[in-house]
Amino acid sequence: MSAATGGPGGLPKGLPDGMPAPRSQFEQTMEGLRVQGRVIHALLLRELQTRFGRGHLGFLWLFLEPLLLASAIGILKSLFSPGGTGAVPTFLFVVVGYAPYFAFRAIINRATTAFQANMTLMYHRQVRLLDIMVARNLLEMSAVTCVLLLVIASTSWLTSFAPHNLPTMMLALLLLFGFANGLALLIAAGAARWEVVDRIVPPMTYISLPFSGALFALHYLPRGWRELLLWNPQVHMHEMLRDGMFGDLIPAYYSTPYLLAWVLGLNLLGLAAVRAVRTRLEF
Amino acid sequence: MKLSPPIRPSEAATTSGMDAPLPQARQRPKRSLLARLRPKGVLGWYVLLVLLPTAIVAGYYMTYAADMYEAEARILVRGRPGASGGGGAGGIASILGGSAGALRPGAEEAQAVTSFVDSLDAVAGLSRQFNLAEIWRRPEADRFSRLWYEEPEAERLLRYYRRRVTATFDLETSIVTLKVLAFRPEDARGIAEALLGLSEDLVNRFSARTSEDTLRVGREEVAIAERRVVEARAALTAFREREQTLDPTAAVGSAVQTIGRLEATLSAARTELQEKQAFMRRDNPQIQVLNNRIAALQAQIATERQRRTSGEETLTQQLSGYERLQLEREFAERVYSSAIGSMEAARADAQRQQVFLMRVVEPNMPERATFPKAMFNTITLLVALTVLFAIGWLIMAGAREHAS
């Protein structure tokens, strides 16, 4: 606490003029947050540039990609099993389940290469590992949020099927993003430490799809399965999202405190892990 | 940072007295209380933001928090197996039927019971038996957990009530678990008992309503059929009285027989005439007699025919009227017996659709205060605050690196 010892008036007068005044820790932190915000913003723009380039619809691909994928799966499903989910339109059911999962998978899968791909940026003193991750994750999150907004708005306009409880949906989405962010931090740090992580994470995301509850509602499962699956925090998120979307049309099973505990714990571990590996990567 | 101006005058005063060997040392104790309490370093912040709140909460639980007693009851709402869920509400049930196992009979009523327990109606029902505000404002209750208002409005009371009374429905077992928290064991038990009574009333009302509905239609149909039978019989009796005949069918039969007999006699007479004409003279009196008889018979047949088949009071008309009435009576009787049959079926159905509330676990008298969960809550708070603090510290530290 350097601030406690000297105020603006109590500064020693003998110091040379050229030296910057020692700031209070609070000011320093605020200044740091401002810089970090600018860095993340810049990284976001850079990420857009490098991923999609200037031509060919450019960054529109960002939401076109999940939109097309989710819509394709939704249409296929609603063609093959019409009325399979009762009062809930199959297309909406699939899109609401799959689009967030798509974002989750994209965040996790891209996390493994996040540091390697941006190694050169590390020569800048103000770019830190966390900034890279946050910028990338924000990009995916905003893309999927846009897709969901688009799908929900258009369906509620066309079929007058409005979301049941929007705040619940928002909270679920935020928790999902927090979860993905924490896990991505952990995986990125792990990938920097052990190379195996790079190999096993993408298959794991495919294996975990059936257990994530993204494409089915727990309610249709037998009790034993349901209770087993409820250990998986992802299931809680998707159930919560569906609860916000469909309300009482499908009984939902989730516990917000459990989910919150996972999100907080993962983010703590992720932040700590990224901090732990920075000596290997930062200059 | 903002402490320097007030220091100045004192500094001046002291330096004038002595030759001030260590000004900093003398400034230290004069710093304001707030400044001295400022946390120093990570550990200080940790104490302020995590340990202090935890300690406050733990202190509250240890010294001040009032004990609460929990009474628990379990009920099973069941119908006879085989009864259909029925109604439009079966929509979801039929979907679930495929994979998750169909809703058991009585499941809908059990859900109705849970939503009833959670409602203003239940609070109103309880308020008729207890003074709920008094129960949740016992003198031993502490300021935070008791009901805050002495004369709460219904909605405020309901909000508090929902924190103290929970009913959960288990879809698989159809068991409704009712939990009531109160500051005295007998209060908790009394409320639970009263809630069970109210729920029982509710379920009985359902049953009565269902059987009433099913039987009402049957009863109405039986009454209509009965009236029809009575009317048909009355019409038949009136017809008989009017036409002075017991059975037109039999009358027709006898008329036909009469004509047939007359015709037979006629043909016999004709044969006899032919026979006698062969050997008798025309003016023989026997032939004359025969001729007269034939003429009489023909006349009689003609009048008989006339009487039966034409005119105002003909037998055919009588017969058709009679047959219509007879048919009506038969129909009415058949409808009546089928109405009785369906009424019996409806009665059996109503019997099957009866739902009962069965008490699996009677409300217990709590002996030990199990709430509030002091240890669990305190430790959860400690862990949660620690995690939050750590995340915050990591983010802050990361941000500070950008500023350097």
Side-chain angles (χ1 to χ4, degrees), chain B residues 256-305:
Chain B
V256 168
Q257 267 179 4
T258 313
I259 292 172
R261 231 177 12 248
L262 285 173
E263 275 180 342
T265 323
L266 178 65
S267 62
R270 279 198 175 132
T271 322
E272 203 184 338
L273 180 67
Q274 294 257 313
E275 188 192 306
K276 290 206 169 148
Q277 269 174 345
F279 59 90
M280 281 185 184
R281 281 178 31 186
R282 253 174 202 270
D283 50 354
N284 192 302
Q286 274 189 13
I287 289 184
Q288 210 61 48
V289 167
L290 273 175
N291 270 337
N292 283 347
R293 190 194 288 168
I294 287 169
L297 279 170
Q298 271 171 341
Q300 186 57 36
I301 287 170
T303 47
E304 279 291 330
R305 286 234 165 94

Short mmCIF file of all heavy atoms in Angstrom, two decimals, chain B residues 256-305:
data_model
loop_
_atom_site.label_atom_id
_atom_site.label_comp_id
_atom_site.label_asym_id
_atom_site.label_seq_id
_atom_site.Cartn_x
_atom_site.Cartn_y
_atom_site.Cartn_z
N VAL B 256 -110.39 -61.35 -41.24
CA VAL B 256 -109.91 -62.13 -42.38
C VAL B 256 -110.50 -63.53 -42.32
O VAL B 256 -110.95 -64.09 -43.32
CB VAL B 256 -108.37 -62.16 -42.37
CG1 VAL B 256 -107.86 -63.20 -43.35
CG2 VAL B 256 -107.82 -60.79 -42.71
N GLN B 257 -110.56 -64.06 -41.10
CA GLN B 257 -111.09 -65.40 -40.94
C GLN B 257 -112.58 -65.44 -41.36
O GLN B 257 -113.01 -66.34 -42.08
CB GLN B 257 -110.98 -65.83 -39.48
CG GLN B 257 -109.71 -66.59 -39.22
CD GLN B 257 -109.58 -66.98 -37.77
OE1 GLN B 257 -110.50 -66.74 -36.97
NE2 GLN B 257 -108.47 -67.58 -37.44
N THR B 258 -113.30 -64.39 -40.90
CA THR B 258 -114.72 -64.33 -41.25
C THR B 258 -114.91 -64.33 -42.75
O THR B 258 -115.68 -65.13 -43.30
CB THR B 258 -115.34 -63.05 -40.66
OG1 THR B 258 -114.92 -62.95 -39.32
CG2 THR B 258 -116.86 -63.08 -40.75
N ILE B 259 -114.16 -63.46 -43.42
CA ILE B 259 -114.31 -63.37 -44.87
C ILE B 259 -113.95 -64.70 -45.51
O ILE B 259 -114.64 -65.20 -46.41
CB ILE B 259 -113.44 -62.24 -45.43
CG1 ILE B 259 -114.00 -60.90 -44.97
CG2 ILE B 259 -113.40 -62.29 -46.95
CD1 ILE B 259 -113.13 -59.73 -45.30
N GLY B 260 -112.87 -65.30 -45.01
CA GLY B 260 -112.43 -66.57 -45.57
C GLY B 260 -113.53 -67.61 -45.40
O GLY B 260 -113.84 -68.37 -46.34
N ARG B 261 -114.15 -67.61 -44.18
CA ARG B 261 -115.20 -68.59 -43.94
C ARG B 261 -116.38 -68.35 -44.88
O ARG B 261 -116.91 -69.27 -45.51
CB ARG B 261 -115.66 -68.52 -42.49
CG ARG B 261 -115.64 -69.90 -41.85
CD ARG B 261 -116.02 -69.90 -40.39
NE ARG B 261 -116.59 -68.72 -39.85
CZ ARG B 261 -115.97 -67.95 -38.95
NH1 ARG B 261 -114.74 -68.23 -38.57
NH2 ARG B 261 -116.58 -66.88 -38.48
N LEU B 262 -116.73 -67.07 -45.02
CA LEU B 262 -117.84 -66.73 -45.91
C LEU B 262 -117.53 -67.16 -47.33
O LEU B 262 -118.38 -67.73 -48.03
CB LEU B 262 -118.10 -65.22 -45.87
CG LEU B 262 -118.82 -64.69 -44.63
CD1 LEU B 262 -118.86 -63.19 -44.66
CD2 LEU B 262 -120.23 -65.25 -44.56
N GLU B 263 -116.29 -66.91 -47.75
CA GLU B 263 -115.91 -67.26 -49.12
C GLU B 263 -115.96 -68.77 -49.31
O GLU B 263 -116.36 -69.28 -50.37
CB GLU B 263 -114.54 -66.70 -49.46
CG GLU B 263 -114.70 -65.26 -49.93
CD GLU B 263 -113.38 -64.62 -50.30
OE1 GLU B 263 -112.34 -65.15 -49.87
OE2 GLU B 263 -113.42 -63.59 -50.99
N ALA B 264 -115.48 -69.48 -48.28
CA ALA B 264 -115.52 -70.94 -48.36
C ALA B 264 -116.97 -71.41 -48.51
O ALA B 264 -117.29 -72.25 -49.37
CB ALA B 264 -114.89 -71.54 -47.09
N THR B 265 -117.86 -70.83 -47.69
CA THR B 265 -119.26 -71.19 -47.76
C THR B 265 -119.83 -70.85 -49.14
O THR B 265 -120.57 -71.63 -49.74
CB THR B 265 -120.06 -70.43 -46.69
OG1 THR B 265 -119.27 -70.30 -45.53
CG2 THR B 265 -121.37 -71.13 -46.37
N LEU B 266 -119.42 -69.67 -49.65
CA LEU B 266 -119.88 -69.22 -50.95
C LEU B 266 -119.49 -70.21 -52.03
O LEU B 266 -120.30 -70.63 -52.88
CB LEU B 266 -119.31 -67.84 -51.25
CG LEU B 266 -119.66 -67.24 -52.62
CD1 LEU B 266 -121.18 -66.98 -52.71
CD2 LEU B 266 -118.89 -65.95 -52.85
N SER B 267 -118.19 -70.57 -51.99
CA SER B 267 -117.74 -71.49 -53.04
C SER B 267 -118.44 -72.84 -52.89
O SER B 267 -118.79 -73.50 -53.90
CB SER B 267 -116.24 -71.65 -53.04
OG SER B 267 -115.80 -72.19 -51.83
N ALA B 268 -118.69 -73.27 -51.63
CA ALA B 268 -119.41 -74.53 -51.44
C ALA B 268 -120.82 -74.43 -52.03
O ALA B 268 -121.30 -75.35 -52.73
CB ALA B 268 -119.49 -74.86 -49.93
N ALA B 269 -121.46 -73.29 -51.79
CA ALA B 269 -122.82 -73.10 -52.30
C ALA B 269 -122.81 -73.12 -53.81
O ALA B 269 -123.71 -73.70 -54.47
CB ALA B 269 -123.36 -71.76 -51.79
N ARG B 270 -121.81 -72.46 -54.38
CA ARG B 270 -121.73 -72.42 -55.85
C ARG B 270 -121.55 -73.83 -56.40
O ARG B 270 -122.17 -74.21 -57.40
CB ARG B 270 -120.54 -71.56 -56.27
CG ARG B 270 -120.91 -70.09 -56.23
CD ARG B 270 -119.93 -69.30 -57.04
NE ARG B 270 -120.36 -67.91 -57.09
CZ ARG B 270 -119.55 -66.89 -56.86
NH1 ARG B 270 -118.29 -67.12 -56.56
NH2 ARG B 270 -120.03 -65.68 -56.96
N THR B 271 -120.67 -74.58 -55.75
CA THR B 271 -120.46 -75.95 -56.21
C THR B 271 -121.77 -76.73 -56.15
O THR B 271 -122.12 -77.46 -57.09
CB THR B 271 -119.43 -76.65 -55.28
OG1 THR B 271 -118.43 -75.72 -54.94
CG2 THR B 271 -118.84 -77.87 -55.94
N GLU B 272 -122.46 -76.54 -55.03
CA GLU B 272 -123.73 -77.25 -54.87
C GLU B 272 -124.73 -76.85 -55.96
O GLU B 272 -125.41 -77.71 -56.54
CB GLU B 272 -124.31 -76.95 -53.48
CG GLU B 272 -125.27 -78.01 -53.00
CD GLU B 272 -125.90 -77.66 -51.66
OE1 GLU B 272 -125.31 -76.83 -50.92
OE2 GLU B 272 -126.99 -78.19 -51.37
N LEU B 273 -124.75 -75.54 -56.27
CA LEU B 273 -125.66 -75.05 -57.30
C LEU B 273 -125.35 -75.71 -58.64
O LEU B 273 -126.25 -76.21 -59.33
CB LEU B 273 -125.53 -73.53 -57.41
CG LEU B 273 -126.43 -72.86 -58.46
CD1 LEU B 273 -127.91 -72.97 -58.06
CD2 LEU B 273 -126.07 -71.42 -58.63
N GLN B 274 -124.06 -75.70 -58.99
CA GLN B 274 -123.64 -76.33 -60.25
C GLN B 274 -124.08 -77.76 -60.29
O GLN B 274 -124.62 -78.25 -61.28
CB GLN B 274 -122.10 -76.28 -60.32
CG GLN B 274 -121.53 -74.90 -60.42
CD GLN B 274 -121.10 -74.59 -61.84
OE1 GLN B 274 -120.44 -75.41 -62.47
NE2 GLN B 274 -121.51 -73.43 -62.31
N GLU B 275 -123.84 -78.42 -59.16
CA GLU B 275 -124.15 -79.85 -59.08
C GLU B 275 -125.65 -80.08 -59.28
O GLU B 275 -126.07 -80.92 -60.07
CB GLU B 275 -123.69 -80.35 -57.70
CG GLU B 275 -123.76 -81.85 -57.50
CD GLU B 275 -123.56 -82.16 -56.02
OE1 GLU B 275 -122.53 -81.70 -55.46
OE2 GLU B 275 -124.42 -82.80 -55.42
N LYS B 276 -126.45 -79.24 -58.60
CA LYS B 276 -127.89 -79.48 -58.67
C LYS B 276 -128.46 -79.06 -60.02
O LYS B 276 -129.43 -79.64 -60.51
CB LYS B 276 -128.58 -78.69 -57.54
CG LYS B 276 -128.23 -79.34 -56.20
CD LYS B 276 -129.27 -79.09 -55.16
CE LYS B 276 -128.95 -79.99 -53.97
NZ LYS B 276 -129.35 -79.36 -52.73
N GLN B 277 -127.83 -78.05 -60.66
CA GLN B 277 -128.34 -77.60 -61.96
C GLN B 277 -128.24 -78.71 -63.00
O GLN B 277 -128.94 -78.73 -63.99
CB GLN B 277 -127.56 -76.37 -62.43
CG GLN B 277 -128.21 -75.09 -61.96
CD GLN B 277 -127.36 -73.88 -62.31
OE1 GLN B 277 -126.19 -74.02 -62.64
NE2 GLN B 277 -127.99 -72.71 -62.23
N ALA B 278 -127.28 -79.62 -62.73
CA ALA B 278 -127.07 -80.69 -63.72
C ALA B 278 -128.28 -81.60 -63.82
O ALA B 278 -128.58 -82.13 -64.90
CB ALA B 278 -125.83 -81.50 -63.30
N PHE B 279 -129.02 -81.83 -62.79
CA PHE B 279 -130.16 -82.77 -62.91
C PHE B 279 -131.49 -82.14 -62.49
O PHE B 279 -132.52 -82.77 -62.52
CB PHE B 279 -129.88 -84.04 -62.08
CG PHE B 279 -129.64 -83.80 -60.62
CD1 PHE B 279 -130.75 -83.81 -59.74
CD2 PHE B 279 -128.39 -83.55 -60.11
CE1 PHE B 279 -130.51 -83.61 -58.42
CE2 PHE B 279 -128.19 -83.35 -58.81
CZ PHE B 279 -129.24 -83.36 -57.91
N MET B 280 -131.51 -80.88 -62.12
CA MET B 280 -132.79 -80.28 -61.71
C MET B 280 -133.22 -79.22 -62.69
O MET B 280 -132.42 -78.65 -63.42
CB MET B 280 -132.59 -79.64 -60.33
CG MET B 280 -132.63 -80.66 -59.21
SD MET B 280 -132.55 -79.80 -57.66
CE MET B 280 -132.48 -81.17 -56.56
N ARG B 281 -134.48 -79.00 -62.66
CA ARG B 281 -135.00 -77.93 -63.50
C ARG B 281 -134.70 -76.59 -62.86
O ARG B 281 -134.47 -76.48 -61.68
CB ARG B 281 -136.50 -78.11 -63.66
CG ARG B 281 -136.78 -79.21 -64.69
CD ARG B 281 -138.21 -79.50 -64.90
NE ARG B 281 -139.10 -78.40 -64.72
CZ ARG B 281 -140.41 -78.54 -64.75
NH1 ARG B 281 -140.92 -79.75 -64.89
NH2 ARG B 281 -141.22 -77.54 -64.61
N ARG B 282 -134.74 -75.60 -63.76
CA ARG B 282 -134.38 -74.27 -63.31
C ARG B 282 -135.26 -73.72 -62.20
O ARG B 282 -134.79 -73.04 -61.28
CB ARG B 282 -134.47 -73.30 -64.49
CG ARG B 282 -133.12 -72.90 -64.97
CD ARG B 282 -133.31 -72.07 -66.21
NE ARG B 282 -132.07 -72.14 -66.95
CZ ARG B 282 -131.11 -71.26 -66.74
NH1 ARG B 282 -131.28 -70.28 -65.91
NH2 ARG B 282 -130.00 -71.39 -67.43
N ASP B 283 -136.53 -74.06 -62.36
CA ASP B 283 -137.45 -73.46 -61.40
C ASP B 283 -137.64 -74.32 -60.14
O ASP B 283 -138.54 -74.14 -59.36
CB ASP B 283 -138.80 -73.16 -62.05
CG ASP B 283 -139.36 -74.35 -62.80
OD1 ASP B 283 -138.58 -75.36 -62.89
OD2 ASP B 283 -140.48 -74.31 -63.26
N ASN B 284 -136.75 -75.27 -60.00
CA ASN B 284 -136.80 -76.07 -58.79
C ASN B 284 -136.54 -75.18 -57.58
O ASN B 284 -135.64 -74.35 -57.56
CB ASN B 284 -135.70 -77.14 -58.88
CG ASN B 284 -135.84 -78.20 -57.79
OD1 ASN B 284 -135.83 -77.83 -56.61
ND2 ASN B 284 -136.02 -79.46 -58.17
N PRO B 285 -137.35 -75.33 -56.57
CA PRO B 285 -137.20 -74.43 -55.41
C PRO B 285 -135.83 -74.56 -54.72
O PRO B 285 -135.31 -73.58 -54.19
CB PRO B 285 -138.31 -74.90 -54.43
CG PRO B 285 -139.00 -76.05 -55.08
CD PRO B 285 -138.53 -76.24 -56.47
N GLN B 286 -135.23 -75.75 -54.81
CA GLN B 286 -133.90 -75.92 -54.17
C GLN B 286 -132.87 -75.00 -54.79
O GLN B 286 -132.05 -74.37 -54.12
CB GLN B 286 -133.44 -77.37 -54.31
CG GLN B 286 -133.98 -78.24 -53.18
CD GLN B 286 -133.36 -79.64 -53.17
OE1 GLN B 286 -132.36 -79.89 -53.83
NE2 GLN B 286 -133.99 -80.52 -52.41
N ILE B 287 -132.95 -74.92 -56.18
CA ILE B 287 -132.00 -74.04 -56.87
C ILE B 287 -132.28 -72.59 -56.51
O ILE B 287 -131.34 -71.79 -56.28
CB ILE B 287 -132.08 -74.26 -58.39
CG1 ILE B 287 -131.47 -75.63 -58.68
CG2 ILE B 287 -131.36 -73.15 -59.14
CD1 ILE B 287 -131.38 -75.99 -60.11
N GLN B 288 -133.52 -72.30 -56.39
CA GLN B 288 -133.90 -70.94 -55.98
C GLN B 288 -133.27 -70.59 -54.63
O GLN B 288 -132.67 -69.53 -54.46
CB GLN B 288 -135.45 -70.87 -55.86
CG GLN B 288 -136.02 -69.51 -56.15
CD GLN B 288 -135.70 -69.09 -57.56
OE1 GLN B 288 -135.90 -69.87 -58.53
NE2 GLN B 288 -135.17 -67.91 -57.72
N VAL B 289 -133.37 -71.59 -53.73
CA VAL B 289 -132.81 -71.38 -52.39
C VAL B 289 -131.30 -71.16 -52.46
O VAL B 289 -130.74 -70.22 -51.87
CB VAL B 289 -133.13 -72.61 -51.49
CG1 VAL B 289 -132.29 -72.56 -50.22
CG2 VAL B 289 -134.61 -72.67 -51.16
N LEU B 290 -130.67 -72.00 -53.31
CA LEU B 290 -129.22 -71.87 -53.44
C LEU B 290 -128.83 -70.49 -54.00
O LEU B 290 -127.91 -69.83 -53.53
CB LEU B 290 -128.66 -72.96 -54.34
CG LEU B 290 -128.30 -74.29 -53.62
CD1 LEU B 290 -127.88 -75.33 -54.64
CD2 LEU B 290 -127.19 -74.04 -52.60
N ASN B 291 -129.56 -70.10 -55.02
CA ASN B 291 -129.28 -68.80 -55.64
C ASN B 291 -129.41 -67.69 -54.61
O ASN B 291 -128.54 -66.77 -54.51
CB ASN B 291 -130.24 -68.53 -56.78
CG ASN B 291 -129.66 -69.07 -58.09
OD1 ASN B 291 -128.45 -69.22 -58.19
ND2 ASN B 291 -130.52 -69.37 -59.03
N ASN B 292 -130.45 -67.80 -53.81
CA ASN B 292 -130.65 -66.77 -52.78
C ASN B 292 -129.47 -66.76 -51.80
O ASN B 292 -128.96 -65.70 -51.41
CB ASN B 292 -131.94 -67.05 -52.01
CG ASN B 292 -133.15 -66.64 -52.82
OD1 ASN B 292 -133.01 -65.95 -53.82
ND2 ASN B 292 -134.33 -67.07 -52.42
N ARG B 293 -129.04 -67.98 -51.41
CA ARG B 293 -127.93 -68.04 -50.42
C ARG B 293 -126.65 -67.42 -50.98
O ARG B 293 -125.94 -66.66 -50.33
CB ARG B 293 -127.67 -69.49 -50.04
CG ARG B 293 -126.72 -69.57 -48.86
CD ARG B 293 -126.18 -70.94 -48.65
NE ARG B 293 -127.16 -71.87 -48.13
CZ ARG B 293 -126.96 -73.18 -48.09
NH1 ARG B 293 -125.84 -73.67 -48.56
NH2 ARG B 293 -127.89 -73.99 -47.61
N ILE B 294 -126.39 -67.77 -52.30
CA ILE B 294 -125.17 -67.22 -52.93
C ILE B 294 -125.22 -65.71 -52.95
O ILE B 294 -124.25 -65.02 -52.60
CB ILE B 294 -125.01 -67.80 -54.36
CG1 ILE B 294 -124.57 -69.26 -54.26
CG2 ILE B 294 -123.98 -66.98 -55.14
CD1 ILE B 294 -124.64 -70.00 -55.57
N ALA B 295 -126.35 -65.20 -53.33
CA ALA B 295 -126.49 -63.74 -53.38
C ALA B 295 -126.26 -63.14 -52.00
O ALA B 295 -125.53 -62.14 -51.84
CB ALA B 295 -127.89 -63.37 -53.90
N ALA B 296 -126.87 -63.81 -50.99
CA ALA B 296 -126.71 -63.28 -49.62
C ALA B 296 -125.24 -63.32 -49.20
O ALA B 296 -124.71 -62.35 -48.63
CB ALA B 296 -127.55 -64.11 -48.64
N LEU B 297 -124.59 -64.47 -49.53
CA LEU B 297 -123.17 -64.58 -49.15
C LEU B 297 -122.33 -63.50 -49.82
O LEU B 297 -121.47 -62.85 -49.20
CB LEU B 297 -122.63 -65.97 -49.53
CG LEU B 297 -122.96 -67.10 -48.54
CD1 LEU B 297 -122.59 -68.44 -49.16
CD2 LEU B 297 -122.20 -66.87 -47.24
N GLN B 298 -122.58 -63.30 -51.12
CA GLN B 298 -121.79 -62.29 -51.85
C GLN B 298 -121.99 -60.91 -51.23
O GLN B 298 -121.02 -60.16 -51.02
CB GLN B 298 -122.21 -62.27 -53.31
CG GLN B 298 -121.40 -63.26 -54.12
CD GLN B 298 -121.92 -63.44 -55.52
OE1 GLN B 298 -123.09 -63.09 -55.81
NE2 GLN B 298 -121.10 -63.98 -56.38
N ALA B 299 -123.25 -60.66 -50.91
CA ALA B 299 -123.53 -59.35 -50.31
C ALA B 299 -122.79 -59.22 -48.98
O ALA B 299 -122.17 -58.18 -48.68
CB ALA B 299 -125.03 -59.20 -50.10
N GLN B 300 -122.84 -60.32 -48.22
CA GLN B 300 -122.19 -60.27 -46.90
C GLN B 300 -120.68 -60.06 -47.04
O GLN B 300 -120.08 -59.24 -46.35
CB GLN B 300 -122.45 -61.60 -46.16
CG GLN B 300 -121.95 -61.64 -44.74
CD GLN B 300 -122.55 -60.53 -43.90
OE1 GLN B 300 -123.73 -60.15 -44.08
NE2 GLN B 300 -121.74 -59.96 -43.01
N ILE B 301 -120.07 -60.77 -47.99
CA ILE B 301 -118.61 -60.60 -48.21
C ILE B 301 -118.30 -59.18 -48.59
O ILE B 301 -117.35 -58.56 -48.09
CB ILE B 301 -118.14 -61.59 -49.29
CG1 ILE B 301 -118.11 -63.01 -48.71
CG2 ILE B 301 -116.75 -61.22 -49.78
CD1 ILE B 301 -117.89 -64.09 -49.73
N ALA B 302 -119.09 -58.65 -49.49
CA ALA B 302 -118.85 -57.28 -49.93
C ALA B 302 -118.93 -56.31 -48.75
O ALA B 302 -118.04 -55.44 -48.60
CB ALA B 302 -119.89 -56.89 -51.00
N THR B 303 -119.95 -56.48 -47.92
CA THR B 303 -120.06 -55.54 -46.80
C THR B 303 -118.89 -55.74 -45.82
O THR B 303 -118.34 -54.76 -45.31
CB THR B 303 -121.39 -55.72 -46.04
OG1 THR B 303 -121.60 -57.11 -45.79
CG2 THR B 303 -122.57 -55.13 -46.78
N GLU B 304 -118.54 -57.04 -45.64
CA GLU B 304 -117.40 -57.27 -44.74
C GLU B 304 -116.15 -56.55 -45.26
O GLU B 304 -115.47 -55.82 -44.56
CB GLU B 304 -117.10 -58.77 -44.62
CG GLU B 304 -118.00 -59.54 -43.66
CD GLU B 304 -117.76 -59.19 -42.22
OE1 GLU B 304 -116.61 -58.84 -41.88
OE2 GLU B 304 -118.72 -59.24 -41.43
N ARG B 305 -115.87 -56.75 -46.56
CA ARG B 305 -114.68 -56.10 -47.17
C ARG B 305 -114.77 -54.60 -47.00
O ARG B 305 -113.80 -53.94 -46.65
CB ARG B 305 -114.64 -56.46 -48.66
CG ARG B 305 -114.23 -57.88 -48.91
CD ARG B 305 -113.03 -57.89 -49.88
NE ARG B 305 -112.39 -59.20 -49.85
CZ ARG B 305 -112.69 -60.17 -50.72
NH1 ARG B 305 -113.60 -59.96 -51.65
NH2 ARG B 305 -112.08 -61.33 -50.63
#
